[in-house]
Amino acid sequence: MKITEAFERGEFVVTAEVGPPKGFHIEHMLEEAKTYLSGITAVNVTDNQSSVMRLGSLATCKALKDEGLTPIFQMTCRDRNRIALESDLLSAALFGIENLLLLTGDHTKLGDHPQAKPVFDLDSVSLIHAVKQLESGVDLGGNELVGEPPKFAKGAVVSPCSDSVDVQLAKMERKVAAGAEYFQTQAVYEPEKFIQFMEKAKQFGKPVQLGIVIPKSVGMCRYMNENVAGIHVPEEMIEELKADKEKTKAGITGVEIAARVIRECKPYCQGVHIMAMGWESKVPELLRQAGI
Amino acid sequence: MLITRLKDKETLLSLAGGKKVFIINCHGCREVYFPLEEAAELQKELEASGSVTGSITTDYICNPENMKLRLEKHKDEIGTADAVLVLSCGVGVQTISEYLEDKPVYAACDTYPQPGFQGVTPLQYDCDQCGECYLNLTGGICPITACSKSLVNGQCGGSKNGKCEVDSEMECGWERIYRRLAQIGRLDLLKCPTQVRNFATDKEVAE
């Protein structure tokens, strides 16, 4: 099923991401996904997230699909040139994978292979354009495809709490112009900033899913504040996590905070995208507390 | 060696047509092949339509101090122009653009690499000799060299406090581009069609 169909039906669309392991044994990951994520609309599979080499997104999407889940194939432009990207898009179509999330990708220097060549032959916008081209039956080289062209739901990302939000909005507009049909956002901890962002973003008329990372610990929040672009965890939230160490360790405080952010932002967006980072088991409780 | 080649007529007319322009020709370092005749012809054409407020023909426009003095001398002619048209390699355009920060500065040439010595320019700015100069879409700041991913369609999500995810000392190139476009009133350029890079250009020149 295409995720865009759920938006069209007016559903508040819930997705969550899973990160493939560094290895090819995914029984545990599949089990967790089936247990905790089968009730949601679709499951994103990250593409060598943070430039750390792992099992591929495409193969993991296929495995999830075989288990009856709806995968979203995340594709970055860091590791493949346009030939490889287009080829993988056709492979996705062969496997019946219908949902894409198209990103530029982190730089190779941020990951565990800093010696690798950063490709960036295309970027998020030109990759969306490439998908549109393929959907019209022609590749980026201008050559015709054989047979019925593939059709995908084309997603993209945006960073609403970025300190350069106007530059982000300009990029978002280019993504829409290139053919993006829905957006998932970077993690949000500041609902007021998100709401202001949505005031400006609604002119593009595309559904936006609020990005959520469950805050696991004070250290994680401090790390994100210092190192992760577009994320700022306010000091009051960090204080909340400090207050009761046991409650925080058990994930109770983090889920409460995340649920509160979702409740505050829900009237302004069309869905939520949860990046649980290993805490997939907490997704059902988070959704319950968020009133979804 | 570098080769600078005039952009096609259509592009040049879209930049300069119907506008008052000030022209800067850089005859460059010995390592640059500059299209002398074509440049002279372009200037003649623009002059015939009465839209050239003045011009400078010199070398090493990439030397900021030298250039500053020359630009001062032509301050009034530049002031009355709507835009400054620079015929040079990408380094020269970026130098002028930085100095004339509230004036649209356009690149009239594309810069291609050739085998051999790459010239002795005081490299405060960088030109990757990509052969499809983007400076006219990006306010005279090169997205190929100012962005660590060489993105041509806007900022990625990796900028924090205005700095690049790769190097905390390096300013995000696309934030610089955005600020400059805002300054010259050309944020509309961010709505240009999707750019897809062409890595085949140097080969085409060789042929």
Side-chain angles (χ1 to χ4, degrees):
Chain A
M1 190 207 69
K2 288 196 183 69
I3 185 173
T4 40
E5 294 166 21
F7 289 118
E8 278 157 22
R9 285 195 295 268
E11 287 174 27
F12 189 78
V13 173
V14 180
T15 56
E17 77 174 25
V18 294
K22 205 177 185 74
F24 66 97
H25 303 285
I26 54 166
E27 300 76 11
H28 175 70
M29 201 200 80
L30 287 179
E31 212 42 58
E32 292 239 305
K34 275 196 295 189
T35 310
Y36 304 114
L37 307 178
S38 56
I40 65 175
T41 305
V43 178
N44 285 50
V45 183
T46 55
D47 175 14
N48 294 312
Q49 189 175 14
S50 309
S51 310
V52 172
M53 193 287 295
R54 302 156 198 264
L55 176 67
S57 175
L58 179 56
T60 309
C61 283
K62 169 80 165 85
L64 283 173
K65 193 170 189 313
D66 290 345
E67 295 292 338
L69 292 148
T70 303
I72 299 177
F73 177 25
Q74 292 197 188
M75 288 188 110
T76 72
C77 300
R78 175 192 54 244
D79 308 319
R80 284 163 288 188
N81 70 5
R82 67 192 78 181
I83 299 174
L85 287 165
E86 290 177 291
S87 175
D88 279 356
L89 284 161
L90 295 180
S91 302
L94 169 68
F95 290 151
I97 292 160
E98 297 176 290
N99 300 297
L100 305 173
L101 189 78
L102 306 159
L103 312 97
T104 297
D106 291 328
H107 199 280
T108 44
K109 290 221 161 55
L110 272 57
D112 69 347
H113 287 58
Q115 312 85 350
K117 180 177 183 180
V119 178
F120 303 115
D121 177 26
L122 300 182
D123 58 38
S124 52
V125 179
S126 48
L127 177 56
I128 296 166
H129 171 76
V131 177
K132 267 216 108 157
Q133 282 283 113
L134 288 180
E135 288 178 335
S136 75
V138 183
D139 67 18
L140 268 189
N143 313 294
E144 278 186 33
L145 302 183
V146 176
E148 186 73 14
K151 286 276 180 280
F152 297 104
K154 298 173 286 301
V157 297
V158 65
S159 203
C161 301
S162 159
D163 38 46
S164 49
V165 70
D166 289 334
V167 192
Q168 282 289 308
L169 281 159
K171 181 77 172 259
M172 185 182 185
E173 187 170 3
R174 276 177 100 130
K175 290 180 179 182
V176 172
E181 294 165 292
Y182 71 96
F183 285 85
Q184 297 182 335
T185 78
Q186 174 61 292
V188 171
Y189 293 98
E190 301 161 292
E192 63 292 346
K193 270 198 194 167
F194 179 77
I195 293 163
Q196 282 170 16
F197 164 83
M198 284 307 298
E199 280 302 316
K200 293 180 182 170
K202 69 181 180 198
Q203 60 177 309
F204 305 132
K206 298 295 170 197
V208 175
Q209 289 179 277
L210 167 78
I212 290 288
V213 169
I214 305 170
K216 290 183 178 178
S217 66
V218 172
M220 176 199 194
C221 295
R222 294 240 184 273
Y223 178 84
M224 291 194 295
N225 281 354
E226 273 166 39
N227 300 296
V228 183
I231 296 188
H232 178 69
V233 188
E235 209 46 48
E236 313 86 78
M237 276 185 192
I238 297 181
E239 288 303 319
E240 253 182 281
L241 288 162
K242 267 188 193 163
D244 186 335
K245 287 200 173 71
E246 285 309 308
K247 212 177 137 195
T248 296
K249 214 174 155 192
I252 300 167
T253 313
V255 168
E256 280 172 6
I257 291 172
R260 195 168 68 225
V261 173
I262 299 175
R263 284 198 305 271
E264 285 179 42
C265 297
K266 194 169 177 259
Y268 303 91
C269 58
Q270 291 70 44
V272 61
H273 174 61
I274 301 160
M275 295 162 268
M277 303 192 170
W279 276 15
E280 283 73 24
S281 62
K282 309 217 180 314
V283 170
E285 175 59 17
L286 170 60
L287 294 174
R288 195 191 63 77
Q289 285 188 31
I292 298 164
Chain B
M1 291 284 288
L2 321 178
I3 293 183
T4 51
R5 283 212 313 205
L6 247 62
K7 287 177 177 285
D8 61 69
K9 236 332 164 0
E10 200 184 320
T11 308
L12 291 170
L13 284 178
S14 77
L15 294 172
K19 293 194 189 97
K20 284 184 280 184
V21 292
F22 184 85
I23 294 176
I24 301 175
N25 292 295
C26 181
H27 284 184
C29 35
R30 297 170 73 104
E31 289 76 20
V32 176
Y33 167 77
F34 181 77
L36 281 175
E37 277 173 30
E38 295 90 330
E41 201 179 304
L42 171 72
Q43 185 160 344
K44 225 186 266 169
E45 256 179 68
L46 291 173
E47 272 165 351
S49 63
S51 59
V52 178
T53 66
S55 70
I56 306 176
T57 298
T58 179
D59 55 12
Y60 292 101
I61 67 168
C62 52
N63 180 335
E65 271 154 43
N66 182 12
M67 205 52 220
K68 198 170 149 184
L69 290 171
R70 288 176 184 272
L71 291 173
E72 282 297 329
K73 263 195 231 161
H74 293 268
K75 215 163 94 186
D76 294 340
E77 294 162 19
I78 293 169
T80 56
D82 302 316
V84 175
L85 196 61
V86 182
L87 291 83
S88 75
C89 77
V91 180
V93 184
Q94 291 181 76
T95 310
I96 305 290
S97 164
E98 170 95 21
Y99 185 72
L100 301 174
E101 54 180 14
D102 51 7
K103 183 73 67 183
V105 173
Y106 295 126
C109 298
D110 290 318
T111 308
Y112 300 84
Q114 280 287 87
F117 194 50
Q118 294 295 304
V120 201
T121 53
L123 273 182
Q124 190 177 341
Y125 307 94
D126 209 359
C127 171
D128 205 39
Q129 303 153 25
C130 71
E132 41 182 4
C133 192
Y134 286 95
L135 292 168
N136 298 334
L137 294 173
T138 54
I141 296 168
C142 174
I144 309 294
T145 57
C147 167
S148 47
K149 296 175 185 170
S150 298
L151 301 180
V152 292
N153 288 297
Q155 185 189 43
C156 75
S159 143
K160 193 160 179 91
N161 302 319
K163 299 289 195 271
C164 174
E165 69 179 21
V166 178
D167 178 357
S168 59
E169 301 290 302
M170 179 181 170
E171 220 183 327
C172 168
W174 274 97
E175 286 196 29
R176 290 174 53 207
I177 291 168
Y178 188 92
R179 274 201 307 273
R180 171 110 170 107
L181 289 176
Q183 196 171 16
I184 59 172
R186 290 305 311 269
L187 284 173
D188 61 298
L189 286 171
L190 293 172
K191 297 182 204 286
C192 68
T194 302
Q195 302 295 310
V196 182
R197 288 194 67 187
N198 178 3
F199 288 95
T201 44
D202 54 341
K203 188 167 163 279
E204 283 166 11
V205 167
E207 275 164 7

